[in-house]
Amino acid sequence: MKNKIVVIGSSNVDLIMKMDRLPEKGETITDAGFFQVYGGKGANQAVGAARAGGNVAFVNCVGNDAYTPQMLENFRNDGLDIRFVFQETDIASGHALVMIGGEGNNYLSVAPGANYKLTPELIDRSMPVIDEAAMIIMQYEIPVETIKYVFRIAEAKDIPVMWNFAPARSFDLSYVAKTAILVVNETEAAFLCGQQVETDEEVELAAKKLQELGASLVIITLGKRGAFALSAIEKVAVPAFKVNAVDTTSAGDVFCGSFAVAQTEGKSLTDSLRFASAASAICVTRIGAQPSAPTRKEIDEFIGNNYVEKSHSIVI
Ligand code: RIB
């Protein structure tokens, strides 16, 4: 049986400033700590899935700058299949400026660079690995036409797509119907549904609306409050593990990558959510995107050592 997870998405060089608090508009903070790490939602999800134990291929386009060789070396060290990471020579790789304040809250600004060179034509060239996929994962940091193209190919080949609709921006919502697993946070859910998503009732209502748009499984991640999932047969609320967060960057990415691993291993919805929640709980205790993604051993030990309130699972 196929078990390959094919992540089609972005990679970035993250330049991080860590401060006690985020600056006000027009303010300069003078005692920040600086870190350069590797990020990008696609790459974070691919690395998160590989460290969680998945058999992962990454389809991406990088540029030609001083940071890129190390980024590629890291992918190899994490065991990613990068046969279809393409390289453009006349552009830099994607870059992100990340400002982290107290409690791990952040501001992000992304320059897509070579990520926007991942065209449908490069997807055609990636078909050998797409044909091996048990699941495709996408986000929203590559060109819109490429995302739509992958959705159509996946539908024709009957490959389930996990779509992390992040960062939120306008899109043809008819594509939600082609999504097997839609993962959004409260902000992204609010953007898609056109309603506030704060209370438990609003979360459930938003999930229902997204289900009505055609997603087979809807997951709304809720930060410190855990995650809520709705499928045609089940609704599950999973509480979060309690940890001291220092940086929430890429917590959602690690959630997606590890959830995909759990699902391709055949874990139940509740166990998959618990596994992904544990992985993202570990992630927020560390600084930086890819350096924070935990290994399978770390996730399993964390679940064994940390009490979490019981999940509420209802068969509909
Ligand atoms: O989700 C976090 C990621 O968003 C960062 O690593 C940054 O590169 C941006 O893509």
Side-chain angles (χ1 to χ4, degrees):
M1 208 172 84
K2 290 199 270 187
N3 72 346
K4 194 158 218 155
I5 296 167
V6 178
V7 181
I8 302 179
S10 60
S11 61
N12 288 331
V13 177
D14 286 359
L15 304 172
I16 303 175
M17 293 283 176
K18 168 93 172 113
M19 292 155 277
D20 290 340
R21 64 175 179 84
L22 292 169
E24 303 290 335
K25 189 175 175 193
E27 183 188 6
T28 301
I29 290 195
T30 54
D31 56 358
F34 174 72
F35 306 85
Q36 183 267 308
V37 301
Y38 291 94
K41 293 185 189 301
N44 297 345
Q45 294 182 14
V47 168
R51 290 198 195 146
N55 171 11
V56 184
F58 186 36
V59 176
N60 169 236
C61 187
V62 297
N64 186 17
D65 55 60
Y67 295 109
T68 299
Q70 185 60 53
M71 177 154 72
L72 296 173
E73 188 56 25
N74 291 353
F75 292 157
R76 284 187 205 99
N77 290 341
D78 271 310
L80 297 183
D81 173 353
I82 56 165
R83 282 176 294 154
F84 299 96
V85 171
F86 301 92
Q87 185 158 27
E88 293 282 337
T89 51
D90 57 350
I91 193 166
S93 289
H95 277 65
L97 283 181
V98 184
M99 288 180 135
I100 307 170
E103 295 186 345
N105 296 322
N106 57 31
Y107 285 147
L108 259 92
S109 170
V110 175
N115 290 310
Y116 275 13
K117 299 268 184 179
L118 188 66
T119 56
E121 192 227 320
L122 294 187
I123 300 302
D124 279 340
R125 285 168 55 190
S126 309
M127 222 47 88
V129 79
I130 290 174
D131 282 330
E132 293 172 22
M135 182 187 290
I136 290 173
I137 312 183
M138 289 195 289
Q139 317 73 32
Y140 201 175
E141 287 188 327
I142 56 172
V144 177
E145 63 272 19
T146 304
I147 296 175
K148 290 182 176 175
Y149 190 63
V150 172
F151 266 121
R152 291 196 296 271
I153 284 172
E155 188 174 47
K157 292 179 180 283
D158 204 18
I159 304 168
V161 176
M162 175 194 279
W163 192 26
N164 175 217
F165 185 80
R169 54 202 168 100
S170 59
F171 196 80
D172 175 353
L173 293 188
S174 68
Y175 281 80
V176 175
K178 300 184 193 297
T179 310
I181 307 172
L182 179 68
V183 185
V184 285
N185 64 21
E186 300 109 307
T187 315
E188 291 143 8
F191 181 93
L192 279 174
C193 298
Q195 63 153 81
Q196 188 170 288
V197 182
E198 282 171 14
T199 65
D200 290 351
E201 292 72 30
E202 287 166 352
V203 169
E204 189 163 341
L205 185 62
K208 279 203 184 105
K209 283 189 184 171
L210 296 173
Q211 192 182 43
E212 277 159 21
L213 286 175
S216 310
L217 171 63
V218 176
I219 300 175
I220 303 184
T221 57
L222 304 165
K224 282 181 199 161
R225 292 162 57 211
F228 179 82
L230 181 67
S231 75
I233 53 163
E234 212 177 348
K235 96 179 159 184
V236 185
V238 177
F241 290 88
K242 291 194 174 40
V243 290
N244 284 330
V246 295
D247 176 16
T248 57
T249 318
S250 80
D253 299 333
V254 163
F255 182 98
C256 290
S258 46
F259 185 82
V261 172
Q263 287 281 283
T264 51
E265 286 179 0
K267 287 193 196 308
S268 70
L269 177 56
T270 303
D271 286 348
S272 300
L273 290 167
R274 206 167 132 73
F275 184 77
S277 298
S280 63
I282 300 170
C283 171
V284 301
T285 64
R286 301 169 177 172
I287 291 178
Q290 283 158 44
S292 302
T295 61
R296 178 59 172 257
K297 185 165 177 284
E298 288 174 321
I299 301 169
D300 288 341
E301 282 176 6
F302 183 89
I303 292 174
N305 295 337
N306 287 274
Y307 168 79
V308 68
E309 289 163 53
K310 220 172 165 321
S311 308
H312 296 286
S313 170
I314 297 172
V315 176
I316 301 168

